């Protein structure tokens, strides 16, 4: 049976100041008002996510006048905190599009995806992304946008040093040595600073054949492979002065990307956003799969942001109907193309992989089937990620002890996991 459809909008600026637009297209007041809190993927007012939600909600409203959707858009630095404050105050939004869902799911606050979305929409999600949205084999998190990592390299600097892009760690170290000899500021940029160290860490763990967890979901931060990986980074890159003037523990991802866009970086791991940034600055670059210890690793890193729906105020039918519209192929493609991100559905991914206009995203799309995500289904992950951001840079610094740091992180992760389970 088809759900009643609904729709309208209240748009919000990236500063979070709600500005309710004109009401319904029909007569009288809407039957239901839904509140959505969403993250801003834009880098300026000109491309704020407010504009995306404005367009989407207006299209929805044209056919569904019985529901008002009030959208509040906040920067990534604020959005998770805003939702937490609303939840703690006992007044959660009906929907939230943020970075993590597991804690809310574990507390019984979210609708199951099965209770919201139509079967065709559920079936369209990429399998590994749907699985990552599960807590104890029940899906609560709805993937919203995805990205993968590839190795970016500066073609101008590589041509000057007569280099080819690396496929192994040994080749990466060789290239970095040659770039250093040419005076390149950051032969390889290694951002293990507090902004997003958990991402660079995971990329290197996977390239070394391990990860944060094993196939059963048990933390393996101090695995022998991870210890070997960070020992190699310390000895072969950082210790030889191949990672630039800023210590990795203090180098943030945004600063590394900005340096690449200035032409100061030979190589770094990057996601699709760096494509647009580098193109704007006129940097000639290429991309290849992230090198592994002995070649292309079996798994690469993927990241997904999440949509979720809170049960507090009801409106299950209206929420599900609106989300079915959000996840139509047209709307998923529109969002992905606007912000240089990867679609989370099979239909939109197939369309993007065959569209010439999306060619710059093809290397990232090719990595998605092999991507492993953060262990976001574990309620302990937020604490583990925070610990990694604080400590992992110490592992590769002067006098650092990679095995010791990884052991400390493992103990803390196991304790956090036990506490969450309890």
């Amino acid at each position: 049976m088809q759900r009643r459809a609904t729709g309208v909008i209240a748009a919000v600026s990236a500063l979070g100041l709600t500005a309710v637009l004109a009401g319904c297209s029909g007569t009288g007041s809407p039957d239901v008002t839904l509140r959505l809190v969403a993250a801003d993927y834009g880098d300026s007012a000109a491309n704020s996510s407010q504009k995306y939600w404005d367009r989407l909600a207006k299209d929805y409203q044209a056919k569904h006048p019985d529901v008002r959707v009030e959208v509040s858009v906040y920067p990534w630095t604020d959005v998770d905190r805003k939702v937490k404050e609303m939840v703690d105050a006992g007044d959660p939004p009906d929907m939230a599009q943020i970075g993590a869902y597991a804690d809310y799911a574990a507390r019984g606050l979210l609708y199951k995806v099965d209770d919201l979305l139509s079967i065709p929409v559920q079936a369209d999600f990429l399998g590994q992304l749907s699985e990552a949205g599960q807590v104890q084999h029940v899906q609560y998190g709805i993937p919203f946008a995805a990205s993968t990592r590839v190795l970016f390299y500066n073609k101008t600097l590589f041509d000057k040093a007569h280099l080819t892009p690396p496929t192994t760690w040994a080749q990466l170290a060789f290239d970095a040595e040659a770039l250093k000899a040419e005076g390149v500021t950051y032969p390889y940029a290694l951002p293990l600073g507090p902004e997003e160290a958990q991402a660079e860490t995971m990329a290197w763990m996977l390239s070394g054949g391990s990860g944060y967890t094993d196939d059963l979901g048990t933390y393996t931060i101090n695995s022998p492979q991870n210890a070997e990986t960070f020992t190699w980074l310390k000895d072969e890159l950082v210790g030889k002065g191949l990672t630039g003037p800023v210590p990795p523990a203090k180098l943030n991802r945004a600063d590394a990307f900005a340096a690449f866009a200035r032409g100061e970086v030979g190589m770094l791991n990057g996601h699709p956003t760096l494509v647009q940034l580098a193109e704007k600055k006129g940097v000639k670059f290429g991309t290849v799969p992230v090198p592994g210890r002995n070649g292309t690793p079996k798994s690469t890193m993927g990241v997904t942001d999440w949509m979720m729906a809170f049960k507090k105020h009801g409106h299950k039918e209206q929420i599900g109907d609106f989300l079915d519209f959000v996840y139509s192929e047209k709307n998923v493609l529109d969002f992905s193309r606007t912000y240089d991100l990867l679609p989370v559905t099979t239909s939109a991914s197939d369309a993007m992989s065959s569209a010439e206009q999306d060619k710059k995203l093809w290397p990232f799309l090719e990595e998605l089937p092999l991507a492993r995500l953060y262990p976001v289904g574990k309620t302990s992950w937020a604490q583990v990620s925070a610990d990694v951001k604080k400590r992992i840079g110490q592992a590769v610094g002067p006098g650092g002890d990679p095995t010791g740091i990884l052991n400390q992180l493992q103990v803390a992760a196991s304790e956090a996991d036990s506490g969450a389970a309890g």
Side-chain angles (χ1 to χ4, degrees):
M1 176 174 141
Q2 186 173 353
R3 290 186 291 265
R4 275 173 44 195
T6 55
V8 136
I9 170 128
V12 178
S13 74
L15 297 178
L17 303 177
T18 304
V20 180
L21 298 184
C24 300
S25 57
T27 59
S29 300
D31 298 333
V32 170
T33 296
L34 300 178
R35 293 180 299 155
L36 166 63
V37 174
D40 193 355
Y41 289 81
D43 57 11
S44 68
N47 70 343
S48 169
S49 295
Q50 171 190 340
K51 295 189 174 183
Y52 169 79
W53 288 110
D54 282 358
R55 292 192 301 268
L56 183 145
K58 286 178 182 177
D59 290 345
Y60 186 73
Q61 176 188 350
K63 295 182 179 180
H64 309 90
D66 54 338
V67 170
R68 177 187 299 270
V69 181
E70 296 181 354
V71 184
S72 302
V73 177
Y74 295 95
W76 272 109
T77 51
D78 297 332
V79 68
D80 289 286
R81 174 177 57 81
K82 289 288 186 180
V83 172
K84 182 179 184 301
E85 290 173 351
M86 296 171 73
V87 172
D88 290 346
D91 187 26
D94 296 284
M95 296 165 283
Q97 187 272 297
I98 52 178
Y101 69 87
D103 182 58
Y104 299 128
R107 291 158 61 185
L109 302 180
L110 302 181
Y111 282 115
K112 300 175 184 178
V113 174
D114 284 349
D115 293 336
L116 295 171
L117 302 179
S118 66
I119 292 175
V121 171
Q122 290 186 62
D124 198 25
F125 287 113
L126 296 169
Q128 78 272 34
L129 303 186
S130 291
E131 290 176 10
Q134 297 178 1
V135 174
Q136 296 182 349
H137 308 293
V138 177
Q139 186 178 354
Y140 298 93
I142 310 171
F144 184 74
S147 68
T148 55
R149 298 296 193 270
V150 297
L151 184 77
F152 284 71
Y153 65 97
N154 184 307
K155 285 187 173 182
T156 301
L157 298 178
F158 264 62
D159 288 345
K160 183 178 179 182
H162 307 290
L163 298 173
T164 57
T167 60
T168 67
W169 289 359
Q171 291 170 356
L172 186 148
F174 176 87
D175 288 351
E177 287 275 14
L179 292 165
K180 180 182 179 182
E182 292 288 340
V184 175
T185 306
Y186 295 88
Y188 178 86
L190 183 65
L192 294 177
E195 178 196 3
E196 204 182 34
Q198 83 284 1
E200 185 75 6
T201 296
M202 184 171 176
W204 278 98
M205 284 179 170
L206 292 173
S207 74
S210 188
Y212 283 117
T213 63
D214 60 19
D215 292 339
L216 299 177
T218 303
Y219 283 113
T220 55
I221 295 174
N222 65 343
S223 69
Q225 297 97 319
N226 287 340
E228 291 173 8
T229 294
F230 280 87
T231 298
W232 186 89
L233 283 172
K234 178 179 182 295
D235 294 343
E236 301 301 325
L237 289 186
V238 182
K240 293 183 178 180
L242 303 180
T243 53
V246 179
K250 295 183 178 180
L251 182 64
N252 282 326
R253 186 265 306 163
D255 296 328
F257 279 18
F260 187 84
R262 294 194 300 267
E264 299 174 359
V265 175
M267 300 173 282
L268 84 170
N269 292 328
H271 54 63
T273 303
L274 185 54
V275 171
Q276 188 177 70
L277 181 62
E279 287 179 343
K280 284 182 178 178
K281 298 294 185 179
V283 174
K284 296 180 179 179
F285 65 91
T287 62
V288 294
V290 173
R293 188 187 305 275
N294 299 307
T296 303
K298 66 177 182 179
S299 297
T300 187
M301 178 187 168
V303 176
T304 297
D305 300 323
W306 300 96
M307 179 75 77
M308 63 210 71
F310 289 87
K311 297 188 293 186
K312 175 75 174 183
H313 302 296
H315 312 317
K316 177 176 66 175
E317 180 180 340
Q318 292 86 353
I319 291 170
D321 202 50
F322 177 70
L323 290 178
D324 271 2
F325 177 74
V326 169
Y327 284 99
S328 69
E329 180 182 331
K330 175 185 179 298
N331 289 329
V332 172
L333 276 174
D334 184 22
F335 182 85
S336 301
R337 286 167 172 164
T338 299
Y339 297 106
D340 285 333
L341 291 166
L342 304 183
V344 296
T345 61
T346 299
S347 60
S349 294
D350 289 346
M352 183 174 278
S353 64
S354 60
E356 190 69 23
Q357 72 182 91
D358 300 313
K359 189 174 182 178
K360 63 184 178 182
L361 293 176
W362 289 353
F364 302 93
L365 274 173
E366 291 172 2
E367 298 294 304
L368 196 53
L370 299 175
R372 283 182 61 180
L373 308 180
Y374 298 132
V376 290
K378 299 170 77 67
T379 56
S380 58
W381 170 242
Q383 182 59 52
V384 172
S385 176
D387 289 343
V388 170
K389 292 178 183 180
K390 292 178 183 177
R391 301 188 191 183
I392 196 63
Q394 303 169 20
V396 299
D401 178 6
T403 299
I405 294 294
L406 293 175
N407 284 338
Q408 292 173 22
L409 290 169
Q410 176 68 32
V411 169
S414 296
E415 291 177 348
D417 209 29
S418 297

